[in-house]
Amino acid sequence: MFLRVVLKENFLSQAISIRNMNKGQVTIKDIAKELGISPSTVSKALNGHPDISKDTKQAVRDLVKKWNYVPDPIALSLKGGPSRIIGVIVPEIVHYFFSTVISGIEDWANDAGYHVMFCQSSEQYLKEVKAVDTLLSSRVDGILVSVSKSTNDFSHLRKIVEKGIPLVFFDRICEEIDADRVIVDDETGGYVAAKHLIEIGCKHIFHLSGLQRLLIGQGRKNGYMRALREHNFQVNENDIIDCDNMEEAAVIVPELFKRPVKPDGIFAVNDLTAVAAMRVIMELGYRVPEDVAIVGFTSGLMSDVTNPTLTSVEQHGYMVGREAARLLIERLENPRELPKKTVIIKTELVKKGSTDRKK
Amino acid sequence: MFLRVVLKENFLSQAISIRNMNKGQVTIKDIAKELGISPSTVSKALNGHPDISKDTKQAVRDLVKKWNYVPDPIALSLKGGPSRIIGVIVPEIVHYFFSTVISGIEDWANDAGYHVMFCQSSEQYLKEVKAVDTLLSSRVDGILVSVSKSTNDFSHLRKIVEKGIPLVFFDRICEEIDADRVIVDDETGGYVAAKHLIEIGCKHIFHLSGLQRLLIGQGRKNGYMRALREHNFQVNENDIIDCDNMEEAAVIVPELFKRPVKPDGIFAVNDLTAVAAMRVIMELGYRVPEDVAIVGFTSGLMSDVTNPTLTSVEQHGYMVGREAARLLIERLENPRELPKKTVIIKTELVKKGSTDRKK
DNA sequence: TTGAAAGCGCTAACAT
DNA sequence: ATGTTAGCGCTTTCAA
């Protein structure tokens, strides 16, 4: 009897289908009407509810396929269900590191059936606050954040947690908030970088350091200092200079070479600074790596393109992104309250021309 | 009398406020309850409906501000209203050009009160199709697309238009679909690049060309050919080699220097290829720019970092993004059917070391 | 000038 | 095994 209904209605299906297609999506109602059953039955059939007959389920599934029905995520999230969107806030998309992180996030999230919504803070606290509001009002299921350089007040991030929305920090974390974290092993990176400079014979190793307010700045510097100490070098505070971008490097680096004790090795907090330093140094007439060896941090495209190529600490941004997404989705799909995790992504020294001293 | 009600209710406001905050957002209902009026009145007051009294409007506005009420965009878009989200599909976020485009889109869209949702196709047709579904099911108000290299079938993009959702192409456009477009003036870019090589005295100018299926590949090549012709050079098809990435350049470029007539000028379809070519050429023992001058396309960070620095055609990605967002939002806010526009962003030759022949 | 009711697409408790 | 109802937050007739 059920089948008869279907057959009878079938004459109309084409017309109905077309009408609804134009209007937008096919709805659960259309399916129900076509099959002569109620919307809730359709809903249950679709969700594999146990007490719907096999025949009905099959009929629903067939029509769903035929009409290309897709449940409306908006309606779902209005109901309070998950939106299956995860929000991401990064400081700057143009940075190679962050763009690789984003790729990692996207790939993992898409594979798990989530969509991703990106916002950038442009390193501005206010934009970061706004981004949080944007994401919350879009009902994202969870949020991934790498905090901006100018963020000192964390109440907007705390608000996320208070709303019960899973939060994962990556790279630039906030220590004050208990959340999952994915960090790069900056300390070891800094250590290995400085150690390498020591091993190739540098005696006066300077560090162009990042913002000490950020953990990544601290970590890289601490690693540098540890390497020096462990190799019986004296750590000289004057050899650590705040300088984390090309513009500053252009001004600051020449000053270093006016000192009585000039650097013969430089570890810079990022590739851009390293590259700018290298440029300046060569313009001053020193040879790289013979007179001055240089190590950067991030190992983006940049490091292959300079002459000499730049030895740098690879951060594995893609992995950072994947792990961050994985952590978040794990929590989304497994809501019991487990202790927060911190994943540390290993860094890796990639040796290239700027430290390649033929012995 | 109205005011009395408000005052009376005020004792409870704190408690109510807190309860609702926890549960999520303040709703229009809460405002109504607090003020002792109906939700529909609140809605009208908020939307400046003419027949709501001034007092009511004011009271509503005050409480809205006090309780920090924000209308729920999900509910709005369920109602069929705009989501105020615009969707963007780019081939690869890691490309400097696209990341600057994204910045431009984000800035303009945010200023206009829109949120942005990004997807990347990773140059894969299937991911592009999926991205379209993602965005449509998220009820975006409009979509910006730069088509992937592997896309030959455009039905997924046509679907967007058929659903009545404004579509704007940027950079990699689809000619078959009538839509707003923002393109870079590739032809002129190619022209100026080749002309510059001619002017500095190159006699044998080769072109490392991009995919000819893409308009950008065609445009750059056409500009190159026009420059040659206009300067009475013979255009030799053998001097135009398909080669648009570092890996290919590493293999192909050395071959060029085994020919009887070697290039003394190279115009590459993008910076990465140009940089790779430059590297290879210098390794072969030629001097840049003295023996071989090189021009790239895009002028990203890359071009400042090489030695010599790379002369390149600036594409103004940020502007492309802004214009694309502007075009889309213009259409969203002005729905009458106007003819489609094409905005052309001028390119600009940025002369640097790789063509700097001291005369 | 305000309110009640219906409906956007969907689900879930509660009938039948 | 299937249907009815109510409700998520909001807007919008239509009635009062």
Side-chain angles (χ1 to χ4, degrees):
Chain A
M1 171 259 162
F2 179 63
L3 282 178
R4 252 216 333 274
V5 174
V6 173
L7 288 170
K8 199 177 66 189
E9 298 283 330
N10 245 349
F11 292 91
L12 296 170
S13 66
Q14 198 66 353
I16 290 176
S17 159
I18 286 167
R19 174 155 46 83
N20 287 316
M21 289 311 194
N22 288 342
K23 209 202 118 202
Q25 290 294 330
V26 180
T27 77
I28 219 168
K29 261 189 186 166
D30 301 319
I31 305 277
K33 203 172 291 172
E34 174 75 358
L35 259 30
I37 57 180
S38 84
S40 54
T41 306
V42 176
S43 168
K44 284 173 195 159
L46 252 22
N47 297 324
H49 200 98
D51 46 44
I52 297 295
S53 75
K54 271 205 158 165
D55 291 347
T56 307
K57 276 183 184 165
Q58 198 48 52
V60 168
R61 269 196 285 264
D62 290 347
L63 192 55
V64 156
K65 185 166 283 175
K66 185 172 156 209
W67 280 6
N68 225 289
Y69 163 81
V70 191
D72 184 335
I74 302 284
L76 288 189
S77 73
L78 220 215
K79 271 309 272 186
S83 63
R84 297 196 79 80
I85 299 177
I86 69 187
V88 181
I89 303 174
V90 289
E92 303 256 17
I93 291 183
V94 289
H95 287 358
Y96 180 77
F97 172 69
F98 287 118
S99 68
T100 56
V101 173
I102 285 175
S103 286
I105 293 172
E106 252 235 320
D107 285 354
W108 184 274
N110 286 168
D111 286 351
Y114 286 80
H115 303 317
V116 185
M117 201 164 167
F118 295 101
C119 299
Q120 59 181 338
S121 62
S122 308
E123 303 284 14
Q124 292 164 247
Y125 166 69
L126 285 177
K127 286 199 76 174
E128 192 174 278
V129 173
K130 221 178 122 192
V132 170
D133 286 338
T134 297
L135 295 177
L136 288 179
S137 70
S138 294
R139 292 261 177 95
V140 294
D141 292 345
I143 297 183
L144 301 171
V145 181
S146 190
V147 309
S148 106
K149 282 185 189 173
S150 59
T151 301
N152 293 310
D153 178 337
F154 301 103
S155 42
H156 57 304
L157 301 174
R158 217 167 264 123
K159 188 168 76 182
I160 298 173
V161 180
E162 281 162 9
K163 288 209 190 269
I165 293 176
L167 173 65
V168 177
F169 289 107
F170 61 93
D171 193 50
R172 309 244 205 100
I173 69 171
C174 164
E175 280 188 301
E176 300 172 19
I177 296 177
D178 182 41
D180 287 321
R181 296 165 180 172
V182 179
I183 52 175
V184 164
D185 189 359
D186 291 295
E187 207 274 347
T188 305
Y191 175 81
V192 174
K195 181 157 166 272
H196 176 55
L197 289 170
I198 293 169
E199 285 169 353
I200 63 170
C202 296
K203 299 299 172 207
H204 305 290
I205 301 169
F206 284 33
H207 176 41
L208 302 178
S209 66
L211 285 183
Q212 293 304 302
R213 237 175 354 82
L214 296 179
L215 287 181
I216 60 168
Q218 286 175 32
R220 294 171 196 184
K221 174 174 141 187
N222 289 340
Y224 155 87
M225 295 197 297
R226 181 161 66 88
L228 262 56
R229 268 191 237 102
E230 285 187 9
H231 292 78
N232 302 314
F233 278 61
Q234 209 198 315
V235 174
N236 187 341
E237 278 295 335
N238 291 328
D239 297 349
I240 301 173
I241 303 100
D242 275 0
C243 171
D244 69 352
N245 59 62
M246 298 187 101
E247 293 71 34
E248 285 177 17
V251 178
I252 291 174
V253 173
E255 296 302 317
L256 305 180
F257 285 84
K258 292 180 187 156
R259 296 192 183 179
V261 178
K262 304 181 203 322
D264 60 356
I266 291 184
F267 165 48
V269 70
N270 60 48
D271 275 2
L272 282 171
T273 309
V275 160
M278 182 155 81
R279 164 154 235 92
V280 170
I281 289 167
M282 290 168 77
E283 277 165 6
L284 289 174
Y286 298 93
R287 292 166 305 161
V288 176
E290 293 80 1
D291 302 325
V292 187
I294 301 178
V295 180
F297 211 111
T298 287
S299 198
L301 290 176
M302 204 109 298
S303 62
D304 285 319
V305 144
T306 52
N307 189 2
T309 51
L310 181 70
T311 293
S312 184
V313 180
E314 162 70 54
Q315 279 183 97
H316 300 296
Y318 185 84
M319 268 299 147
V320 171
R322 279 182 70 97
E323 286 302 297
R326 195 177 60 74
L327 241 43
L328 182 67
I329 290 170
E330 225 169 75
R331 225 166 254 288
L332 290 175
E333 314 213 317
N334 197 342
R336 50 205 175 102
E337 192 56 45
L338 296 167
K340 302 294 187 271
K341 286 184 202 166
T342 295
V343 172
I344 299 176
I345 304 293
K346 286 228 184 67
T347 52
E348 193 181 342
L349 185 73
V350 182
K351 296 177 190 172
K352 295 185 181 160
S354 66
T355 58
D356 186 19
R357 291 185 177 169
K358 316 275 187 288
K359 285 168 192 170
Chain B
M1 175 258 164
F2 180 62
L3 283 178
R4 251 214 334 273
V5 175
V6 173
L7 289 170
K8 200 175 68 192
E9 299 282 331
N10 245 347
F11 292 91
L12 296 170
S13 65
Q14 198 65 357
I16 290 176
S17 157
I18 286 168
R19 175 154 46 84
N20 286 316
M21 289 312 194
N22 288 344
K23 206 200 121 206
Q25 289 294 330
V26 179
T27 79
I28 218 168
K29 260 188 185 168
D30 303 318
I31 305 278
K33 202 172 291 171
E34 173 77 358
L35 258 31
I37 58 180
S38 84
S40 51
T41 305
V42 175
S43 168
K44 285 174 194 160
L46 251 22
N47 297 323
H49 200 97
D51 47 46
I52 297 295
S53 74
K54 271 204 158 163
D55 291 346
T56 308
K57 276 182 183 165
Q58 197 48 53
V60 168
R61 268 197 286 266
D62 289 347
L63 192 55
V64 157
K65 184 164 285 174
K66 185 172 157 208
W67 279 5
N68 227 289
Y69 163 80
V70 191
D72 183 336
I74 303 283
L76 288 189
S77 72
L78 219 215
K79 275 308 270 186
S83 64
R84 296 196 80 79
I85 298 179
I86 70 187
V88 180
I89 303 175
V90 290
E92 302 258 20
I93 292 185
V94 289
H95 287 358
Y96 180 78
F97 173 70
F98 286 119
S99 68
T100 57
V101 174
I102 285 175
S103 286
I105 293 172
E106 252 236 320
D107 284 353
W108 184 275
N110 286 167
D111 286 350
Y114 287 80
H115 303 318
V116 186
M117 202 163 164
F118 295 101
C119 298
Q120 56 181 340
S121 62
S122 308
E123 303 285 12
Q124 292 165 245
Y125 167 68
L126 285 176
K127 285 198 76 173
E128 192 175 278
V129 174
K130 219 178 124 194
V132 170
D133 286 339
T134 298
L135 295 177
L136 288 179
S137 70
S138 295
R139 292 261 178 92
V140 295
D141 293 344
I143 297 185
L144 301 171
V145 180
S146 190
V147 308
S148 105
K149 282 186 188 172
S150 60
T151 300
N152 293 311
D153 178 339
F154 301 104
S155 44
H156 58 301
L157 301 174
R158 217 167 264 122
K159 187 167 77 182
I160 299 173
V161 180
E162 281 161 9
K163 287 209 191 270
I165 293 177
L167 172 66
V168 177
F169 289 107
F170 61 93
D171 192 50
R172 310 245 204 98
I173 68 170
C174 164
E175 279 188 302
E176 301 172 19
I177 297 176
D178 182 41
D180 287 320
R181 297 162 180 176
V182 180
I183 52 176
V184 165
D185 189 358
D186 291 295
E187 207 275 346
T188 305
Y191 176 81
V192 173
K195 180 159 168 269
H196 175 55
L197 289 170
I198 294 169
E199 285 170 352
I200 63 169
C202 296
K203 300 296 175 207
H204 306 291
I205 302 169
F206 285 31
H207 175 41
L208 302 178
S209 66
L211 285 184
Q212 292 305 302
R213 239 174 355 78
L214 296 179
L215 286 180
I216 60 168
Q218 287 176 31
R220 293 171 198 184
K221 174 175 141 187
N222 290 340
Y224 155 87
M225 295 196 298
R226 180 162 65 89
L228 262 56
R229 269 192 236 101
E230 284 187 11
H231 292 79
N232 302 313
F233 278 61
Q234 211 198 314
V235 174
N236 187 342
E237 279 294 336
N238 292 327
D239 296 351
I240 300 174
I241 303 99
D242 274 0
C243 172
D244 70 350
N245 58 63
M246 297 187 102
E247 292 72 33
E248 286 178 16
V251 178
I252 292 173
V253 173
E255 296 301 317
L256 305 181
F257 284 85
K258 292 179 187 157
R259 296 193 185 177
V261 178
K262 304 182 202 322
D264 61 356
I266 291 183
F267 165 48
V269 69
N270 60 48
D271 275 2
L272 282 170
T273 310
V275 160
M278 182 155 81
R279 162 153 237 96
V280 170
I281 290 167
M282 290 168 76
E283 277 165 7
L284 288 173
Y286 297 93
R287 292 166 306 161
V288 177
E290 292 80 0
D291 303 324
V292 187
I294 300 178
V295 180
F297 211 112
T298 288
S299 197
L301 290 176
M302 204 109 299
S303 62
D304 286 320
V305 145
T306 52
N307 188 6
T309 50
L310 181 70
T311 293
S312 184
V313 179
E314 162 71 52
Q315 278 185 98
H316 299 297
Y318 185 83
M319 268 299 146
V320 171
R322 280 182 71 97
E323 285 303 297
R326 194 178 60 73
L327 241 42
L328 181 68
I329 290 169
E330 225 169 75
R331 227 166 253 289
L332 290 176
E333 315 215 315
N334 198 343
R336 50 205 174 102
E337 194 56 44
L338 296 167
K340 302 292 188 270
K341 286 185 203 167
T342 295
V343 172
I344 299 175
I345 303 293
K346 286 227 184 69
T347 52
E348 194 182 340
L349 185 72
V350 182
K351 297 177 190 170
K352 295 186 182 163
S354 65
T355 59
D356 185 20
R357 292 185 176 169
K358 316 277 187 292
K359 288 167 191 170

